[in-house]
Amino acid sequence: MKVWPGTPYPIGPVFDGSGTNFSLFSEIAERVELCLFDEQKNETRIDLPEVTGFCWHGYLPDVQPGQRYGYRVHGPWEPENGHRCNPAKLLIDPYAKATEGQVQWDEAVFPYPFDAGFEVKSDSDSAPFMPRCVVHQPHFDWEGDRRLQIPWHETIIYETHVKGLTARHPEVPPELRGTYAGVAHPAIIDYFKGLGITAVELLPVHQFIHEKHLVEKGLRNYWGYNTIGYFTPHNEYASETRPGAVVSEFKQMVRSLHQAGIEVILDVVYNHTGEGSHLGPMVSFKGIDNAYYYRLAEDPRYYMDYTGCGNSLNMRNPHALQLLMDSLRYWVLEMHVDGFRFDLASTLARELHDVDRLSSFFDIIQQDPVISQVKLIAEPWDVGEGGYQVGNFPPLWTEWNGKYRDCIRDFWAGREQTMGEFAYRLTGSPDLYENTSRLPYASINFVTAHDGFTLNDLVSYNEKHNDANEENNEDGEDHNRSWNCGVEGPTDDAEINALRDRQKKNFLVTLMLSQGVPMLLGGDEFGRTQLGNNNGYCQDNDISWYDWENVDETLLHFCRRLIQFRREHTVFRRRRWFLGRRIHGSEVKDIIWITPDGQQMGEENWGEGHASSLCVYLNGETIPNPNPRGKPVTDDSFYLMFNAHHEPIDFTVVGERWKARWRMVIDTGQDGGFTDSETLLDANDSVTIAPYAIVVLQLIEAVPENA
């Protein structure tokens, strides 16, 4: 086969319409073999003829899309120095755009013999047990598609899983269930539009591997936080089986969602790879340039592990950073995604040991003309010392607000906390973000996420029930801040079920009416349960898949109306912080906190150690930001009453100078949640609010002082 010198950049495989250029970075390599495979799995090895700036490259004019390939890297085997080159192992190209097959867990995929220890080099050929990279066809008709650029303050995120979303959906054809094409099916698109969300946040879709210990137990890595290909859509989610077809299927999904006005955000895992610790397999980086790509311990035989997954990528090295940035750019420019949620983002910020919010990772994101313009969400913690960094990320970033989750869960479970904590969380967490030049939408608010209880389970279980994970129920979070409302798990007790329904509505109302960006866990809107499993990472089955045959239609209807209610009212999605003071010299403030007896809260109230009932007035006439055309924005004013007490409480509607007439629009203590009532309330009227319930009043008219 003809081989020409080719070019070192772009790194990876590039089909130019005629042939394909290959380039692989390795600073430690002494020789690199490109391994081509035919349909009968026969291997042809070709030495890449050129090396430029540690990029080994060559152009093969006869290689077309669909060609299967991998690499073998020759170099030093010196574990004591951090070097693990082993040409007996077929390696996945870090820049591959498509792969075929999965890792088969034979001893040969490990760089050492099991009976000799990890420092001994294995000579067993891993190729029969390894996936193949595939040269993909880059050309695709986007039909004029482009990123939607929905403003943050108008964004409502739906966190979901490509497979779990459609694996059991009766309207999606069986051959499309659990695939990218399934997500793009009209039944799913219509569901998203009817729900009212503006973005889907997909759990990891980068190519990942299922850990050996899970496969041996008959389990799988369902969540996908075990990446091995940062440019490759995970091939098990493709309905098409043609080599490389996964790329076009993913693009078709994005195009269909964009046509429906829905953005696509990817949950990405750049903090570690699926190769694990010194005892893990050799499938890519470990055999290409181990000491370059990974953070090694003081003893280079071992890895620094800030993730709990065995290794951490080394973001101090330029080509490791380049890999990350090239990957992000590829998904934006070539795959048209709209943003990223960075798993364990604190790990990426670690320069040496401490988390440095001005690390090279953040610097390079800040100056990049492509990545700096998309949605950037940090999971602002990792498992290392000092890794909890909520509120400490730079201005471009939004964050999963773990403090919001914890506070709102504690409030509705009736646990002790200050009123100030609850007030901060409801108003966008200014204590975390205002002093860093960020705005309310820096806070990604959530009550539940993939990691932990579903909303239904949050109000149904006090304890985790993870026995199906086969880890003796020792995995998963022990401190869930959940409350089962009186009985563990499902019950026929009508009173308990009514309380649970009320609590689910309370969480949803609080989430959707808080300042910031709401994130809804997929399935929470219709009561999805994982039977008390709060760590479904390995449950690729009915535990995790959405049960579309058992939908709580009442809850779903309520959630749809609630999302629409938020979208209709700007006062719940302000772009600037509340001032909490009089506006333009008038007697009216933009936000006022009020006690249940109708009095404005004073300093003595904020210092109370237990918050269970309070009110807040939101003034729709004082929204500071104009609309996109520069015109003033006004909205109705609202009065929110929260009762997290175990008994009914009489709330007094604000009076004296607050002469007004109100209409009740939401009462979670009533069936349905939305009242559709024409009953009007005047100042100083009394409203009895059920235990664990929210009432929302909408201002109908101001009443003259002499009325």
Side-chain angles (χ1 to χ4, degrees):
M1 184 171 286
K2 290 182 284 189
V3 183
W4 300 344
T7 59
Y9 289 97
I11 299 176
V14 178
F15 173 68
D16 62 6
S18 217
T20 304
N21 190 83
F22 293 89
S23 179
L24 178 77
F25 168 82
S26 176
E27 193 172 284
I28 198 67
E30 298 167 356
R31 176 186 168 205
V32 172
E33 291 179 298
L34 173 66
C35 307
L36 304 179
F37 294 87
D38 62 21
E39 292 187 2
Q40 288 72 44
K41 301 183 180 180
N42 298 312
E43 179 180 357
T44 300
R45 302 185 187 183
I46 300 169
D47 279 285
L48 290 181
E50 299 285 333
V51 56
T52 306
F54 302 116
C55 289
W56 299 75
H57 55 94
Y59 181 89
L60 280 69
D62 298 322
V63 168
Q64 302 292 302
Q67 174 65 58
R68 302 166 177 89
Y69 75 98
Y71 285 110
R72 298 181 188 270
V73 175
H74 299 254
W77 171 268
E78 300 170 356
E80 68 278 8
N81 294 319
H83 305 313
R84 297 174 180 269
C85 294
N86 187 344
K89 310 305 173 184
L90 184 72
L91 304 174
I92 295 172
D93 181 359
Y95 278 74
K97 307 305 189 295
T99 58
E100 180 181 65
Q102 304 299 315
V103 173
Q104 306 300 310
W105 288 115
D106 187 87
E107 182 177 338
V109 302
F110 292 80
Y112 59 91
F114 288 170
D115 59 358
F118 73 93
E119 295 184 79
V120 178
K121 185 178 180 181
S122 166
D123 294 325
S124 300
D125 185 6
S126 68
F129 312 102
M130 283 290 294
R132 308 289 189 252
C133 305
V134 179
V135 176
H136 81 299
Q137 169 57 262
H139 306 297
F140 179 78
D141 184 3
W142 279 103
E143 299 178 0
D145 176 78
R146 57 186 176 180
R147 289 190 297 111
L148 299 176
Q149 297 182 302
I150 296 172
W152 266 123
H153 66 284
E154 296 180 4
T155 298
I156 300 173
I157 298 173
Y158 187 86
E159 190 198 28
T160 190
H161 187 282
V162 169
K163 183 174 184 180
L165 175 67
T166 64
R168 301 175 63 186
H169 199 290
E171 296 180 49
V172 175
E175 66 274 14
L176 301 184
R177 292 175 188 168
T179 69
Y180 303 117
V183 176
H185 189 272
I188 301 300
I189 298 287
D190 289 346
Y191 179 80
F192 286 153
K193 291 173 67 176
L195 187 58
I197 55 99
T198 69
V200 291
E201 182 177 307
L202 300 176
L203 266 69
V205 298
H206 288 168
Q207 188 68 37
F208 61 87
I209 56 180
H210 303 279
E211 295 94 319
K212 182 175 183 289
H213 74 276
L214 291 179
V215 173
E216 290 173 344
K217 292 179 181 179
L219 301 170
R220 290 159 57 83
N221 190 319
Y222 173 69
W223 286 351
Y225 291 95
N226 208 31
T227 304
I228 202 61
Y230 289 112
F231 295 78
T232 312
H234 188 66
N235 56 32
E236 291 180 304
Y237 299 154
S239 63
E240 293 194 56
T241 58
R242 291 180 294 108
V246 63
V247 178
S248 60
E249 184 171 330
F250 184 92
K251 291 177 177 179
Q252 289 166 4
M253 176 193 72
V254 173
R255 186 179 64 192
S256 296
L257 287 166
H258 281 181
Q259 288 171 348
I262 298 169
E263 293 185 315
V264 179
I265 299 171
L266 302 187
D267 193 336
V268 291
V269 191
Y270 292 105
N271 52 74
H272 74 280
T273 78
E275 290 187 296
S277 71
H278 60 287
L279 299 177
M282 177 178 285
V283 294
S284 185
F285 303 95
K286 194 177 284 187
I288 294 171
D289 200 329
N290 182 66
Y292 194 95
Y293 280 112
Y294 291 118
R295 293 286 299 272
L296 302 183
E298 186 175 345
D299 181 344
R301 295 176 301 167
Y302 304 101
Y303 298 84
M304 297 295 291
D305 182 12
Y306 295 114
T307 65
C309 299
N311 63 56
S312 302
L313 280 171
N314 191 353
M315 290 303 149
R316 296 177 296 176
N317 285 336
H319 275 89
L321 274 173
Q322 181 183 0
L323 171 79
L324 185 155
M325 294 303 296
D326 286 350
S327 169
L328 292 172
R329 254 183 248 109
Y330 175 79
W331 288 96
V332 173
L333 297 177
E334 298 297 325
M335 307 297 262
H336 286 209
V337 304
D338 303 276
F340 305 94
R341 178 264 187 188
F342 291 80
D343 177 64
L344 300 180
S346 294
T347 299
L348 299 173
R350 290 183 182 273
E351 287 282 336
L352 295 172
H353 175 70
D354 296 331
V355 177
D356 178 1
R357 63 189 296 269
L358 297 177
S359 71
S360 53
F361 168 67
F362 294 125
D363 290 343
I364 200 169
I365 291 282
Q366 177 79 35
Q367 60 79 42
D368 189 274
V370 174
I371 308 307
S372 63
Q373 301 304 303
V374 302
K375 288 182 165 68
L376 301 173
I377 306 171
E379 182 186 34
W381 50 79
D382 64 19
V383 301
E385 181 181 350
Y388 192 78
Q389 293 291 312
V390 173
N392 289 335
F393 277 67
L396 275 180
W397 291 75
T398 64
E399 299 175 15
W400 269 26
N401 191 343
K403 292 188 176 182
Y404 179 94
R405 171 200 60 201
D406 296 347
C407 173
I408 303 307
R409 287 187 178 195
D410 282 346
F411 179 81
W412 286 113
R415 297 189 182 94
E416 184 171 336
Q417 61 183 307
T418 65
M419 290 190 179
E421 171 81 1
F422 182 77
Y424 277 139
R425 303 304 153 240
L426 198 71
T427 55
S429 296
D431 57 323
L432 300 177
Y433 305 115
E434 188 172 14
N435 291 334
T436 58
S437 300
R438 289 192 279 177
L439 298 171
Y441 49 78
S443 179
I444 304 297
N445 298 328
F446 67 104
V447 175
T448 55
H450 69 275
D451 188 0
F453 282 141
T454 66
L455 181 60
N456 180 84
D457 293 356
L458 184 68
V459 302
S460 303
Y461 295 91
N462 283 350
E463 309 295 335
K464 64 187 181 182
H465 297 268
N466 297 353
D467 299 286
N469 297 356
E470 299 190 20
E471 297 182 43
N472 299 315
N473 202 36
E474 295 176 355
D475 63 301
E477 177 61 56
D478 291 314
H479 186 43
N480 293 286
R481 292 181 159 90
S482 60
W483 177 39
N484 64 18
C485 298
V487 172
E488 189 74 354
T491 179
D492 293 328
D493 188 307
E495 187 173 336
I496 290 176
N497 284 330
L499 175 56
R500 288 176 177 176
D501 289 344
R502 204 153 64 240
Q503 287 285 64
K504 283 183 273 190
K505 292 185 178 73
N506 290 336
F507 281 120
L508 290 170
V509 171
T510 307
L511 177 66
M512 290 299 165
L513 302 192
S514 293
Q515 304 299 318
V517 179
M519 184 185 81
L520 181 68
L521 173 62
D524 277 357
E525 72 276 14
F526 60 75
R528 183 172 74 90
T529 178
Q530 293 183 172
L531 306 177
N533 191 319
N534 74 349
N535 190 32
Y537 80 102
C538 59
Q539 298 300 325
D540 189 1
N541 51 47
D542 287 352
I543 290 176
S544 298
W545 300 346
Y546 296 17
D547 183 1
W548 294 100
E549 298 292 342
N550 292 288
V551 170
D552 183 339
E553 294 289 353
T554 301
L555 183 63
L556 177 58
H557 178 70
F558 174 78
C559 194
R560 284 172 174 159
R561 287 194 64 179
L562 182 61
I563 291 174
Q564 182 62 31
F565 185 70
R566 175 185 174 87
R567 296 184 68 170
E568 289 172 351
H569 293 290
T570 312
V571 73
F572 299 118
R573 43 188 176 84
R574 291 164 52 108
R575 289 186 287 151
R576 291 289 184 268
W577 301 106
F578 286 107
L579 300 175
R581 62 173 183 262
R582 294 181 177 86
I583 305 299
H584 303 307
S586 74
E587 290 296 306
V588 179
K589 300 180 180 181
D590 58 352
I591 183 170
I592 298 175
W593 296 93
I594 303 163
T595 63
D597 61 3
Q599 302 302 310
Q600 188 168 340
M601 288 178 61
E603 290 300 321
E604 69 279 4
N605 302 114
W606 291 117
E608 293 176 357
H610 186 72
S612 62
S613 56
L614 72 163
C615 311
V616 60
Y617 167 79
L618 304 179
N619 190 347
E621 297 291 328
T622 58
I623 297 170
N625 295 104
N627 69 16
R629 297 192 176 185
K631 295 184 178 180
V633 174
T634 60
D635 191 11
D636 295 327
S637 297
F638 290 90
Y639 191 40
L640 282 57
M641 303 173 171
F642 300 89
N643 181 21
H645 191 55
H646 64 275
E647 294 179 335
I649 291 181
D650 291 332
F651 283 71
T652 301
V653 180
V654 288
E656 299 177 3
R657 59 191 175 91
W658 303 96
K659 297 291 184 181
R661 182 160 290 145
W662 304 87
R663 180 172 66 88
M664 186 182 296
V665 291
I666 295 175
D667 182 356
T668 61
Q670 297 185 23
D671 291 340
F674 278 85
T675 64
D676 296 316
S677 172
E678 295 303 321
T679 302
L680 300 183
L681 297 166
D682 292 321
N684 298 313
D685 282 353
S686 180
V687 178
T688 301
I689 300 182
Y692 304 105
I694 300 174
V695 166
V696 177
L697 305 181
Q698 184 175 10
L699 182 66
I700 298 301
E701 59 178 329
V703 180
E705 288 286 342
N706 57 0

